[in-house]
Amino acid sequence: MFADCAILLAVTRKQKFLYAAWACSLFAAALLFIPPVQNVLARFIASLAGNGSYLQWQKRFASYGSRPFWLLAVLPVFFFYQFRKLWNMPQKADDEYGRLFTAAFLTITSICIMFVCTTSSPLYPFNTWGDSNCFFIMGRGIVNGRVAYRDLYEQKGPFIYFIHALAAFLSPNNFHGVFIIECIAASFFSLFAYKTLRLFAPKEILFLMPLLTAVIHAAYNMSMGDLAEEFAIPFFMYALYVSTKHLYQDSDYTGRELVGIGICFGCVFWMKYTLCGFFIGWIAVPVFVYCRRGKLKELGLCIVFFLLGFFLSTLPYFCYFGYHRAIKDLLTVYFYNNIFIYSSLGETGQEGAKLSLLERLVTMGKNCIHPLFRILHKNFYVSLLLPGSLAYLFVLKKRAVCINVLLTMLTSYFFIYFLNVYWHYSSAVFNMYIIFAAIPLYHMLFQTKLRQGLCAFSVGLFSLCFCLFTYRFAYMAKTAREELPQYKFAAYLAEQDIAEPSLLTVGFMDTGFYTVCNIQPSCKYFSSLNIPLKDMENSQKYYIDHGITDFVITKTQEDFEQYAFVMKLEPYYVYRRREPL
């Protein structure tokens, strides 16, 4: 609070002194990063609070000790920006940097950020997230001639499987191919985010892009990386750039742009259709604007171009599944099972009673409140920048831009939580809305007497340090591959005299056993998914009862008739098929 007051007064007098006071408060807050300082403060507070609370306070300082620093660093910027009366609509600045330099800068910085912010990168031993490994198994299956949904079961859309098929083609036994695709996705996001911000700020805002990319991809809801939401964000960002540009400039959409938006919609629809609420909000404002201006003919052409793009992005899937006679499997798994079976899961992912439309709406209303604190609390740094980003939009003279952004947020939320299934990573698509917070940050950093080169270097270094300190899986970089249960099992398997071993993981989503051991699933339901499907339970039970696979891995200790316990790889239990007498 002292720092905020200092920034406000610095506008008129004693600027150097108050900036120094702000810097001192930042330094004091930075001391909370240091573990010995955290321990001393924890002991001091524990002595005041009474015995037995030292460990509790120590844990709190370790988890949240960095937050005062970020609060003091970021919040005063918005107050400073406001009281300097810089909220007026900025004029378009000089010519941009060379396209090659811009693309190279955004690509290199995106790679550096993603090197830390996804466990698919070579910095980490392995991506052990269940969803990622299921996607990768489906992708490897496609590369090896299997047909998604017909031969291997997983409930996401085919687009994400083809992404992982490309990744498996590049690197079949690890996630380095996925890392390359994630870097490409992050680079495209950065490019269109930069082009969006260039509508409101000069070219120097380019040097704030690493910070935005870091905050978005180091957020709690980005989990271990390789999310459907992560791959959807570049498509959303392109659509948001196009709509913001035309609503801000009062210009008409081109056919090429609308075909591109239709392709983006198709890619997201065939990856995870619950994310498509964004496009409902996106298209509402342009439709209203065209109708209000009486341009019904132009509106009709826009719809035709949009549908053309969607058709072009949909055609390959129907060709692929039609050729393999698996269109029925696609429609059953991706639509029917997800809508009528998966949606019966509760907030924690447990099976519940099927909900009526009214019950679902009531539950969704509860979801608007119950997980909201969790989303804001867990994604602290996104929550810190989002109000400043939305505040900038509110003061724009172009109401259509603000309404368009808010509508896409609201319709996205509605579609994501309508199915009554809450996962922490579902809110990752909202991270991209912090980009407008870069504008007041730009005026704070680059419209001072500091050298722009020094500011750019400092922001880049700060962004990388931010990732290292805040990405919640950064500790895994210290873990050796040999310590992971997947690699321990692979080492055990290499010692056995089995030409082509077979495996079944039961009771949990596979965390990399198939990939590390280079095993192709023999069972359609190769892993237990978060869906109460009777066919999956019966098929896995049949495989176990008849001893079809060489190994079975579970998370609970079981007594199988056809399998003998071999070893425990915390937290997994490994069973091997008994030899016939």
Side-chain angles (χ1 to χ4, degrees):
M1 192 66 185
F2 169 75
D4 294 346
C5 296
I7 294 301
L8 298 182
L9 294 175
V11 176
T12 56
R13 59 186 177 178
K14 300 180 181 179
Q15 190 172 24
K16 291 183 179 180
F17 170 77
L18 293 174
Y19 266 101
W22 182 41
C24 291
S25 62
L26 282 178
F27 176 76
L31 292 177
L32 294 178
F33 277 98
I34 305 173
V37 176
Q38 295 175 355
N39 295 339
V40 170
L41 290 175
R43 290 186 185 279
F44 175 72
I45 297 176
S47 65
L48 297 178
N51 296 330
S53 59
Y54 165 68
L55 293 178
Q56 178 184 1
W57 283 104
Q58 186 187 41
K59 183 178 179 181
R60 288 181 179 177
F61 274 112
S63 300
Y64 311 122
S66 62
R67 294 190 175 184
F69 177 83
W70 305 121
L71 283 168
L72 291 172
V74 176
L75 287 182
V77 173
F78 296 115
F79 288 105
F80 173 79
Y81 182 52
Q82 183 179 9
F83 279 80
R84 287 288 302 225
K85 297 181 180 180
L86 295 171
W87 293 100
N88 297 329
M89 185 73 69
Q91 301 298 320
K92 194 163 183 177
D94 330 336
D95 296 334
E96 298 185 23
Y97 295 109
R99 292 183 179 181
L100 181 60
F101 171 78
T102 300
F105 178 83
L106 294 174
T107 301
I108 292 171
T109 54
S110 296
I111 292 173
C112 293
I113 297 300
M114 296 307 297
F115 192 74
V116 178
C117 292
T118 173
T119 55
S120 303
S121 85
L123 180 64
Y124 300 96
F126 194 74
N127 187 334
T128 59
W129 191 43
D131 283 31
S132 297
N133 282 279
C134 289
F135 300 158
F136 198 78
I137 290 170
M138 297 292 287
R140 282 207 315 165
I142 292 173
V143 172
N144 291 297
R146 304 286 187 91
V147 178
Y149 309 120
R150 188 192 70 185
D151 301 330
L152 296 172
Y153 189 97
E154 221 279 343
Q155 67 250 32
K156 289 295 192 299
F159 180 65
I160 199 164
Y161 302 146
F162 283 104
I163 289 177
H164 285 78
L166 175 60
F169 177 78
L170 296 174
S171 184
N173 295 324
N174 54 51
F175 279 81
H176 295 171
V178 175
F179 170 69
I180 293 172
I181 299 175
E182 285 183 283
C183 290
I184 294 172
S187 299
F188 274 101
F189 162 77
S190 298
L191 174 63
F192 291 117
Y194 168 69
K195 291 172 73 70
T196 303
L197 293 176
R198 279 288 287 119
L199 298 170
F200 311 109
K203 60 187 179 182
E204 289 82 8
I205 205 165
L206 171 70
F207 299 110
L208 282 176
M209 293 310 303
L211 180 60
L212 293 178
T213 306
V215 174
I216 288 170
H217 288 89
Y220 180 91
N221 51 20
M222 278 295 188
S223 192
M224 302 182 85
D226 193 21
L227 302 170
E229 288 78 4
E230 179 186 355
F231 293 115
I233 285 177
F235 298 114
F236 292 154
M237 196 66 250
Y238 171 72
L240 194 63
Y241 160 68
V242 171
S243 62
T244 302
K245 180 180 71 171
H246 290 290
L247 291 174
Y248 174 62
Q249 297 176 348
D250 285 327
S251 57
D252 292 330
Y253 296 83
T254 66
R256 180 181 299 179
E257 289 172 337
L258 290 167
V259 171
I261 299 296
I263 292 174
C264 291
F265 172 68
C267 291
V268 175
F269 181 83
W270 291 109
M271 178 166 54
K272 191 174 181 180
Y273 59 77
T274 55
L275 300 178
C276 288
F278 171 91
F279 291 97
I280 306 299
W282 182 89
I283 204 170
V285 173
V287 167
F288 176 79
V289 170
Y290 273 94
C291 290
R292 186 178 182 182
R293 295 175 180 176
K295 296 183 176 181
L296 300 182
K297 181 179 179 181
E298 290 82 353
L299 176 61
L301 288 174
C302 289
I303 294 174
V304 169
F305 283 122
F306 178 83
L307 294 178
L308 175 62
F310 176 70
F311 173 78
L312 291 176
S313 63
T314 300
L315 184 62
Y317 305 115
F318 278 90
C319 291
Y320 171 80
F321 288 102
Y323 176 79
H324 292 285
R325 299 182 181 181
I327 291 180
K328 182 180 178 181
D329 298 278
L330 166 66
L331 300 179
T332 299
V333 175
Y334 188 48
F335 293 105
Y336 181 84
N337 288 356
N338 278 329
I339 294 173
F340 296 103
I341 300 179
Y342 183 73
S343 62
S344 66
L345 295 174
E347 182 184 314
T348 59
Q350 302 298 321
E351 183 177 0
K354 291 186 177 181
L355 302 178
S356 65
L357 178 62
L358 179 60
E359 290 172 328
R360 188 170 291 174
L361 289 172
V362 172
T363 304
M364 190 193 67
K366 294 179 181 178
N367 281 349
C368 292
I369 301 173
H370 180 61
L372 185 60
F373 175 77
R374 247 187 313 180
I375 293 172
L376 296 177
H377 172 66
K378 294 291 186 181
N379 303 284
F380 176 75
Y381 306 105
V382 172
S383 305
L384 187 63
L385 292 176
L386 190 58
S389 182
L390 297 178
Y392 179 80
L393 290 175
F394 273 118
V395 298
L396 285 176
K397 296 179 181 179
K398 295 290 183 179
R399 293 183 180 178
V401 174
C402 181
I403 293 173
N404 192 49
V405 170
L406 292 177
L407 269 180
T408 58
M409 292 181 67
L410 291 175
T411 52
S412 294
Y413 189 88
F414 178 85
F415 272 75
I416 289 171
Y417 295 109
F418 179 73
L419 291 179
N420 187 35
V421 180
Y422 172 79
W423 303 106
H424 70 275
Y425 52 80
S426 301
S427 60
V429 294
F430 301 110
N431 294 1
M432 68 175 185
Y433 290 103
I434 70 169
I435 64 168
F436 296 102
I439 298 172
L441 288 173
Y442 158 77
H443 286 291
M444 178 66 181
L445 293 174
F446 291 95
Q447 287 195 348
T448 62
K449 295 181 180 180
L450 295 176
R451 294 182 179 180
Q452 292 183 358
L454 178 61
C455 288
F457 175 78
S458 302
V459 170
L461 184 61
F462 176 82
S463 302
L464 192 58
C465 293
F466 177 87
C467 294
L468 292 170
F469 277 107
T470 61
Y471 183 55
R472 63 187 178 116
F473 293 104
Y475 69 92
M476 288 184 62
K478 301 177 182 179
T479 306
R481 287 185 176 181
E482 293 73 19
E483 298 178 18
L484 296 178
Q486 294 84 352
Y487 283 91
K488 290 180 180 179
F489 179 68
Y492 166 78
L493 204 59
E495 298 172 355
Q496 309 305 308
D497 188 19
I498 304 176
E500 294 184 2
S502 55
L503 172 67
L504 180 63
T505 58
V506 180
F508 67 99
M509 297 179 72
D510 176 63
T511 54
F513 288 98
Y514 288 100
T515 301
V516 171
C517 300
N518 196 24
I519 295 176
Q520 294 296 325
S522 56
C523 179
K524 175 180 178 179
Y525 302 96
F526 56 88
S527 185
S528 298
L529 305 176
N530 297 317
I531 184 170
L533 197 65
K534 293 297 181 183
D535 289 345
M536 178 175 63
E537 298 174 7
N538 295 336
S539 177
Q540 291 179 347
K541 185 176 184 301
Y542 178 84
Y543 268 68
I544 293 173
D545 290 345
H546 291 78
I548 296 177
T549 59
D550 296 314
F551 295 91
V552 172
I553 300 179
T554 67
K555 265 194 171 182
T556 57
Q557 195 164 7
E558 305 287 349
D559 185 17
F560 297 128
E561 182 179 350
Q562 300 291 336
Y563 293 88
F565 174 74
V566 175
M567 67 175 74
K568 183 177 181 181
L569 301 172
E570 188 66 34
Y572 306 103
Y573 296 86
V574 180
Y575 298 87
R576 183 171 181 174
R577 183 172 53 198
R578 300 179 191 271
E579 295 297 332
L581 299 177

